[in-house]
Every structure is written in C-alpha cells, then in structure tokens.
Amino acid sequence: MDFFPFFLSFIFIILHLLGQRFVQGEVDIQRHHHHHKEPITKLFVFGDSYADTGNIKRGFAPSWKHPYGVTFPGKPAGRFSDGRVLTDYIAKYLKVKSPASYRIRKHLAPHHLKNGMSFAFGGTGVFETLNPGPNMTTQINFFQKAIQDKVFTASDIRKSVALVSVAGNDYTRYTVTNGSIQGLPSFILSVVNQTIRNVIRIKELGVKKVIISNLQPVGCLPSVTASSSFKECNETSNNLLVAYHNTLLTEAVTKLNQQLNDNSSLPFIVLDLYDSFMSVLKHPSTHNIKNELEPCCVGVSSKYFCGSVVEKVKKYTVCENPKSAFFWDLVHPTDAGWRAVYTRLRITNAFKEIHY
Ligand SMILES: *[C@@H]1O[C@H](CO)[C@@H](O)[C@H](O)[C@H]1NC(C)=O
Ligand SMILES: *[C@@H]1O[C@H](CO)[C@@H](O)[C@H](O)[C@H]1NC(C)=O
Ligand SMILES: *[C@@H]1O[C@H](CO)[C@@H](O)[C@H](O)[C@H]1NC(C)=O
Ligand SMILES: *[C@@H]1O[C@H](CO)[C@@H](O)[C@H](O)[C@H]1NC(C)=O
Ligand SMILES: *[C@@H]1O[C@H](CO)[C@@H](O)[C@H](O)[C@H]1NC(C)=O
C-alpha cells in the first residue's frame, strides 16, 4: 500500500534560479548564558513526520509497524524513526517530557497535558499533500479549539514554546502533480508565506516563542541519493530548491521579528536543520556515524519500503547497528541521527533565543 508515496518518489526538480547559490551560514559559536526569566513548561508541536510522535492512527502508516521504534521505545509507537524524533530532542532541551499526541486527547488525564501537545501529522504540509492528514492550518485549528475548550489555560500558553516542522511534503506534491520548473519559485514563495501566516497565528494564540525548522538538505536524503548508490548528495536539489526556501524563510522571519520591535527577545526562531544535517553528514565520525548517506532500513526492492510485510514475509532489511546510522529510512533520520543533529544545534547555540 503506497500510503506514503514520498517514500517512493522524492524527485526534485532542477531549478535554474539565476545566481541563487547556497552560502553556508557562518557558524555562531558564541556561548551565551541563558537565564530562565520564566520557566517554560509546555511544548506545542505542528507539522510533519520530522515532528510527529504518534498522531496518525495505528495501522495507517509504517510508523506503527515493526521495525519503527525498535531503538526507542522498543516497539512501533507512531514515530517515523527507529527512536526519537526532533520533538523529543527539543523537549529534552526544554526539560519537559515529550508532549502528548493530539490523537489520544480524549484518553488523557490532566497530568498528561502538563508538557503540552503535539498536533503534527506525518506526511502533511502547509497545503494539501499527497498524504491524508490535517494540514498545518487545521492543526492550528485543533490547538485553538483546545484553548477555547480550556484544555490549556492562558497561563499555560504563556509558558510555552511551539515547534513548527516543514520538511518538504508540499514540494513532493508539487513535483508529482505539477512539476513546472517555471512555477516552482512562486510555489516556494507561497509555501514560505503560508508558513509565516501559520506561525503568526500560533503567536497570536499566546505562545511566546515559535521555533521554525528550515529545510534539511533534501538532496542528501536516501530517496534522492539512491540513484548514486548513496554515495553523494544531489547538490542540485540542495542549491536550488532548499537554498531558496531557506533564504526566503530566514528573510521573512527576520522581518517579522523586526516588526514586532521587542528587542528583549526574538519571538520567532529559525532552527537551522540545513546546517546541522550538513555538518553531521560532513563529519559523521565525530558523532560515531558510519555510512552516513545509507538508510538503515530499506525495502528489498524499490517496490517496498522499510516496514513492508507481504503475507507475513518481511520485505525489508535492517542494518546491523541503527545506532551508527544517520538515516533510518528513505527520508527520516534515526534516533542517533536526530541526536547528532541536536548536538550540533547545541554546539552552534541554536537555542539561545528560546528562553524569555
Ligand atoms: C540531481 O537531481 C536532479 C533533479 O532531480 C537530476 O536531474 C540530476 O540528474 C541529479 N543529479 C545527480 C548527480 O544524480
Ligand atoms: C487546509 O485544509 C482545510 C481542510 O481540508 C482546507 O479547507 C484548507 O483550505 C487548507 N488550507 C490550506 C492553507 O491549504
Ligand atoms: C502549475 O504550474 C503552472 C506554471 O507555473 C501554473 O500556472 C499552475 O498554476 C500550476 N498548477 C498548480 C496546481 O500548482
Ligand atoms: C508572499 O508574500 C510576499 C510579501 O508579503 C508577497 O509580496 C508575495 O506576493 C506573496 N507571494 C505569494 C506567492 O503568496
Ligand atoms: C528596544 O531598544 C531601544 C534602544 O535600546 C529602546 O529605546 C526601546 O525601548 C526597546 N524596546 C523595547 C520594546 O524593549
């Protein structure tokens, strides 16, 4: 069942944007001492599979099938990884537990709500994608409803941080359903514009800080590098699609922060997944990672993906040691991969603006 067509086709278009070149951001290695002016007690999460901790219904996605979750929590739990995902590491930084999944909201005791809630659904985007699941606008509607229903109080929201993940499902749909090279720049602009509308809405609902991930180096994903037997990143995808998205996002967020004119602390923070993925992929041994571009879990042929079982026969293989792999499947990092990315984010002081 091709529930996630992006497992099969993550084809990115060559974009001839004149003069558009990727310039690696300078590494900010200053270390500020941050002070908790107010404790952050909750994390609210929006977006896709890089952040989803179990919102898709059981049985409806590979994230609920073996061998997903084999490292953590030891069985499939709805995460698109062998273990933890971005949300879990951000929660770790904030010293809160991973927030509860929206899916099980009706079964949660009040104490389960104390870490916030995740509204992220794997496969989704800011617009409609090839996959079912609520787009980010709808996810924010769920959040708004939870506030109206007093699931979270105004004081809860004031002490919270939001994480917004946009990892590219909108672009996969664009590539499959339209594919016009001429139309891509304006589509990228509309994705970034919609992302900005979304984060403004989240802020207006009372959240103090919104962390927005930029696009990871899509050209390094195994779905793309399979054609080079996982030997090298496709720089065309990285330099054009990803660089343009990330440049627009950074510009828009900078402008937004300036407009709010609160110099005490920046309400919107871009989380540089591009730099952190690239840094780990360029220096894998620093993180005890081997064969950095090879996915740990793969289908036995292009017909199958990680987790495929046909008539009780496994149609996939898992590497010997997921803890030394960066990629888990064709598009998602392993637990160790996310840990390495998190380590890099901490080294570059990416979270210095989180506290307020
Ligand atoms: C990189 O991706 C583009 C667009 O999908 C493709 O046309 C090109 O052949 C790829 N390059 C390599 C080296 O695989
Ligand atoms: C999000 O999904 C809803 C419900 O399907 C739809 O009405 C709305 O237009 C979508 N929003 C965007 C920005 O695509
Ligand atoms: C597809 O691309 C063309 C060319 O830019 C554009 O006019 C059209 O609106 C696009 N269609 C969709 C569905 O995005
Ligand atoms: C995106 O926003 C910018 C600035 O607000 C605007 O000029 C542009 O027309 C918008 N583009 C799209 C495609 O929505
Ligand atoms: C921002 O900084 C300027 C100059 O230091 C100061 O005059 C202004 O009051 C500050 N604004 C806020 C909202 O703190």
Side-chain angles (χ1 to χ4, degrees):
M1 187 178 99
D2 298 347
F3 177 89
F4 270 41
F6 70 84
F7 273 80
L8 310 174
S9 57
F10 214 81
I11 311 146
F12 279 86
I13 283 177
I14 310 175
L15 217 197
H16 298 283
L17 287 172
L18 292 173
Q20 188 67 52
R21 289 187 51 225
F22 169 67
V23 181
Q24 182 155 11
E26 260 180 50
V27 179
D28 175 4
I29 48 164
Q30 319 166 40
R31 287 159 199 276
H32 292 260
H33 290 285
H34 51 66
H35 303 281
H36 288 249
K37 290 169 191 161
E38 256 196 89
I40 296 164
T41 61
K42 288 181 177 52
L43 175 61
F44 294 101
V45 183
F46 306 87
D48 50 35
S49 57
Y50 276 15
D52 186 358
T53 47
N55 269 324
I56 297 177
K57 262 195 195 154
R58 260 167 207 274
F60 281 77
S63 58
W64 283 107
K65 292 177 185 159
H66 195 77
Y68 284 79
V70 66
T71 301
F72 172 86
K75 59 177 185 192
R79 285 173 173 81
F80 289 81
S81 169
D82 63 316
R84 282 155 279 242
V85 296
L86 181 60
T87 297
D88 302 297
Y89 284 103
I90 300 292
K92 179 183 161 78
Y93 178 81
L94 296 172
K95 299 191 172 68
V96 301
K97 288 195 176 138
S98 268
S101 288
Y102 171 77
R103 181 181 59 90
I104 53 168
R105 67 199 173 282
K106 289 182 181 137
H107 309 288
L108 296 172
H111 73 273
H112 289 129
L113 297 167
K114 74 176 195 298
N115 307 300
M117 188 168 272
S118 172
F119 300 91
F121 281 76
T124 66
V126 297
F127 300 122
E128 296 310 292
T129 60
L130 297 172
N131 307 298
N135 62 30
M136 200 181 288
T137 304
T138 306
Q139 294 174 22
I140 301 168
N141 293 345
F142 295 158
F143 179 46
Q144 189 167 14
K145 176 87 169 32
I147 297 170
Q148 281 160 0
D149 292 349
K150 307 266 192 290
V151 176
F152 298 104
T153 65
S155 140
D156 289 337
I157 304 298
R158 255 200 320 276
K159 293 178 193 149
S160 73
V161 162
L163 169 67
V164 170
S165 169
V166 180
N169 292 314
D170 293 292
Y171 298 124
T172 308
R173 177 174 190 271
Y174 179 87
T175 304
V176 171
T177 63
N178 186 325
S180 147
I181 292 169
Q182 291 85 346
L184 190 49
S186 78
F187 184 67
I188 295 173
L189 193 54
S190 64
V191 168
V192 171
N193 281 11
Q194 187 58 43
T195 305
I196 295 296
R197 282 184 210 110
N198 293 346
V199 300
I200 290 173
R201 241 187 105 199
I202 293 168
K203 176 83 172 36
E204 284 173 353
L205 288 168
V207 175
K208 276 283 171 64
K209 294 270 180 176
V210 186
I211 305 166
I212 311 144
S213 62
N214 69 3
L215 267 189
Q216 73 284 5
V218 166
C220 300
L221 298 181
S223 55
V224 174
T225 64
S227 62
S228 74
S229 306
F230 313 115
K231 289 288 183 288
E232 55 190 14
C233 298
N234 185 321
E235 294 303 333
T236 310
S237 311
N238 286 347
N239 291 352
L240 301 173
L241 168 76
V242 181
Y244 192 47
H245 174 101
N246 289 349
T247 301
L248 289 179
L249 182 69
T250 301
E251 281 172 6
V253 168
T254 304
K255 214 167 114 191
L256 205 53
N257 279 329
Q258 284 164 355
Q259 280 164 0
L260 289 169
N261 199 24
D262 174 1
N263 26 8
S264 58
S265 76
L266 307 176
F268 299 99
I269 301 162
V270 174
L271 194 66
D272 198 347
L273 288 191
Y274 188 92
D275 168 80
S276 46
F277 272 55
M278 272 315 219
S279 169
V280 176
L281 293 174
K282 281 181 181 158
H283 309 285
S285 58
T286 311
H287 302 275
N288 297 317
I289 287 187
K290 298 192 183 90
N291 305 326
E292 63 279 5
L293 294 181
E294 265 181 47
C296 173
C297 180
V298 283
V300 294
S301 77
S302 58
K303 236 176 106 178
Y304 303 107
F305 49 77
C306 177
S308 307
V309 173
V310 178
E311 288 166 355
K312 297 192 178 163
V313 179
K314 288 181 190 171
K315 297 287 185 185
Y316 61 86
T317 61
V318 182
C319 67
E320 214 168 278
N321 187 9
K323 288 179 180 151
S324 68
F326 182 79
F327 285 112
W328 170 242
D329 59 20
L330 290 177
V331 286
H332 304 104
T334 55
D335 183 280
W338 279 121
R339 182 195 313 265
V341 164
Y342 173 67
T343 301
R344 170 71 184 172
L345 288 167
R346 291 207 66 168
I347 290 170
T348 57
N349 219 2
F351 301 113
K352 68 174 185 288
E353 295 291 345
I354 277 189
H355 296 279
Y356 50 87

